[in-house]
Every structure is written in C-alpha cells, then in structure tokens.
Amino acid sequence: MEQTGSTTLEVVPELDHEPDPTDVIVAFENYSGGFRGRHGGRVTPILKGVDVAFRRGALTAVVGETGSGKTMLALSIVGLTPATFERTGGSIHLNGTDLGGYDEAAFRGVRGRTVAMVFQDSRSALNPVFTVGRQLVDVVRLHQGLGKAAARTRAVELLEQMRVPEPERRLRQYPHELSGGTAQRVQLAIALACEPELLLLDEPTTGLDLTVQAEVLELIVEMIKGGRLSALLITHDMGVVAQTCDDVVVLRHGEICESGRTSSVLTNPTHPYTAELVAASQTLGGTR
Ligand SMILES: Nc1ncnc2c1ncn2[C@@H]1O[C@H](COP(=O)(O)OP(=O)(O)OP(=O)(O)O)[C@@H](O)[C@H]1O
C-alpha cells in the first residue's frame, strides 16, 4: 500500500512535561501469546512479536481496530489475561523485572500497588454487595496505612478530586445506585488510592457523555503531569490521542505497526494503517 504522508489532524504541541525517553516502566520484547482451544490443540496467535517500551511519566495511547489485541496487551502486564491465554514467546519487564516467572500470588503483589486498572464497565468492576465507602475506604486503609476515620476523610478527598458530586452521600451508596460517569470516577478514585506507578485505562470513558469524558481525561492528564504517574490509555478516539497523549502505539492484528511520540506519529505516519486511522478520525470529526 502506498504511504499516505503527512496529515492535518490537529495535534497538541509537545506537553510541558518531558518524560525521560530512557526511563521505561514497561517493556515488551518480542512478546507473543494467544488462546489455546478448549480441548488443547494449537494456540491461536493474538499478540505477535510485540516490541514496545512505555516511558515512565508518559501517557501512552494504545490504538487499533477492534480485536487487534489492545486489551490482551494491557492484561498481560498484570497477569489478568483469561486462563486460556498463553504466552508463547518473548518477555515483559515491569520496572526492569521479568514477569515471565510470576504466578498468581506474585501478580497480586503487582496489582493495585504498582499497576492499577480502570476498565470500561465500571459498575461491574465494582463489588455490587459493598457500598462505595466500604470499597474505597478499605483500599485507602490497606495502601496508605491509615486508621478508619482518616481513611474516610481521604476517601472523600479522593472523590472530590475526581469531581464526584456529594462525595459523603456517595460513600453510603451501592454501585447500582451510581450513574455510569460516577461509577467510572469512583473506580478511578479506587485505582488512585493505591498510589500506583502505572495506570491501565481500557476505554475508560466509553459510554460517558462527552463533557464527563473530557473531565475524566483531564483529571488523568493532570495527575500524570504531577509527575509520579504513568498511564496506558486504550482508546478508539484519535482526537483524544492527539490532544492528550504523549506517545502512541498502533496495534494491528496483534502486531505493533508503529509507535512513538504522538506529535510525530500522527502528523507524519510511516505506516499506511496509522494514516488510515488518522484519516478516518478526521472524516468522523474525531479531532474535536
Ligand atoms: N476469552 C477469550 N477466548 C478466546 N479469544 C478471545 C478471548 N478474549 C478475547 N479473545 C480474542 O482475542 C483478540 C484480541 O482481543 P482484545 O480484547 O485484546 O482486542 P481489543 O483490541 O482490545 O478489542 P476492542 O477494541 O474491541 O476492545 C480478539 O480476536 C478476541 O476475539
């Protein structure tokens, strides 16, 4: 296919913080994996020789069509791929440590503390039988070592930080009583209460109205600019990528076709598929 060359997708100027390009939080090296059929047999490849390094302190977008493996890529970092998913080659290093030998207990030590996750369907990610307060306060107590009263105060602060209206009342509510947008922010508050180094965001704003989407993303970007956080954002919205992400990784059929700084990848894509994504988002008015 012919290379499409430069595009006119409006890309934010370089962000005011500049993560160190050599400081990598997660590195995939020739990583491959796929699903084994129900009765054994061969593995259907899903991720194929993935080579990519995520910079510490950066917000990195992972884009690509439905089924390209974005979610499996993220879940591989925390050992949450389905039981039938198998690594068939390569490695993943988190903070320089090879996750290859990690069992469930070792991954449990990583989740929350080092890597926290926010998924698309927040209401189902929250525990339906416990109030928001119980879930958030427990996490704060566990991760920040606070007593009950101090943890509750901190929980309210976290909800306020996430611009959740009436935080005190929310603490007494159950997940089914929350709107999608509030559930999303509660999930984000729980993730951040763990003070993780890396946040995995799998289409975190899908299903939210545009204003709420923009607010939630703005909060995430603010925290990343604050210095300590890195994040990986799986999204279909190229406008969001252009306007908020430092780096972008383009996945297609389980392979990385392009990765790098958002400003250079989107304005001068080297792979025709990236150019197609950019062009499609322009046609749909995705640049907002
Ligand atoms: N439990 C499973 N068993 C078998 N195949 C699966 C399973 N879960 C996902 N897959 C397949 O793995 C591939 C990658 O899925 P993945 O969810 O990572 O894609 P994605 O890029 O995140 O897609 P989307 O944008 O739709 O969320 C898809 O072809 C999907 O059908």
Side-chain angles (χ1 to χ4, degrees), residues 35 46 64-73 82 84 120 202-203 234 236 251:
F35 286 97
I46 298 293
E65 64 207 352
T66 293
S68 55
K70 304 181 295 294
T71 299
M72 293 309 134
L73 184 85
T84 47
Q120 196 172 335
D202 194 348
E203 301 188 49
I234 296 176
H236 286 273
L251 204 57

Side-chain angles (χ1 to χ4, degrees), residues 50-270:
V50 170
D51 259 316
V52 66
F54 294 94
R55 289 190 296 159
R56 191 185 307 280
L59 173 57
T60 304
V62 179
V63 301
E65 64 207 352
T66 293
S68 55
K70 304 181 295 294
T71 299
M72 293 309 134
L73 184 85
L75 294 180
S76 298
I77 301 170
V78 280
L80 283 179
T81 49
T84 47
F85 185 92
E86 281 179 30
R87 176 173 67 103
T88 51
S91 63
I92 303 172
H93 285 78
L94 174 64
N95 283 330
T97 302
D98 188 349
L99 300 178
Y102 273 40
D103 59 10
E104 174 56 21
F107 273 119
R108 236 179 277 139
V110 167
R111 285 179 219 138
R113 204 173 297 275
T114 311
V115 187
M117 299 145 287
V118 177
F119 297 111
Q120 196 172 335
D121 186 357
S122 284
R123 261 176 295 208
S124 66
L126 295 168
N127 190 329
V129 300
F130 294 123
T131 60
V132 167
R134 170 79 188 273
Q135 297 181 60
L136 184 53
V137 172
D138 277 1
V139 171
V140 172
R141 291 187 74 179
L142 184 70
H143 286 278
Q144 300 182 13
L146 297 174
K148 208 170 177 177
R152 203 174 168 83
T153 306
R154 179 74 188 123
V156 170
E157 276 171 18
L158 280 164
L159 292 180
E160 277 169 353
Q161 219 179 326
M162 293 300 119
R163 318 241 166 87
V164 172
E166 303 179 88
E168 295 278 1
R169 187 163 79 87
R170 300 297 168 200
L171 289 183
R172 295 190 295 275
Q173 288 184 317
Y174 287 87
H176 73 267
E177 299 176 78
L178 307 176
S179 69
T182 303
Q184 195 65 275
R185 292 183 229 201
V186 167
Q187 210 200 340
L188 201 51
I190 291 175
L192 292 167
C194 304
E195 299 184 331
E197 292 175 46
L198 175 66
L199 200 52
L200 303 179
L201 303 157
D202 194 348
E203 301 188 49
T205 57
T206 304
L208 305 186
D209 71 55
L210 285 180
T211 318
V212 178
Q213 272 190 29
E215 274 179 24
V216 169
L217 279 170
E218 198 182 306
L219 288 167
I220 294 166
V221 171
E222 265 171 33
M223 272 170 295
I224 289 171
K225 283 185 178 172
R228 294 201 311 273
L229 192 64
S230 313
L232 202 149
L233 173 68
I234 296 176
T235 181
H236 286 273
D237 189 333
M238 296 302 284
V240 163
V241 176
Q243 288 173 18
T244 62
C245 296
D246 302 278
D247 296 346
V248 59
V249 170
V250 184
L251 204 57
R252 190 180 193 211
H253 304 321
E255 289 174 289
I256 305 282
C257 50
E258 188 158 359
S259 67
R261 300 294 168 89
T262 306
S263 49
S264 64
V265 171
L266 296 193
T267 52
N268 196 11
T270 58

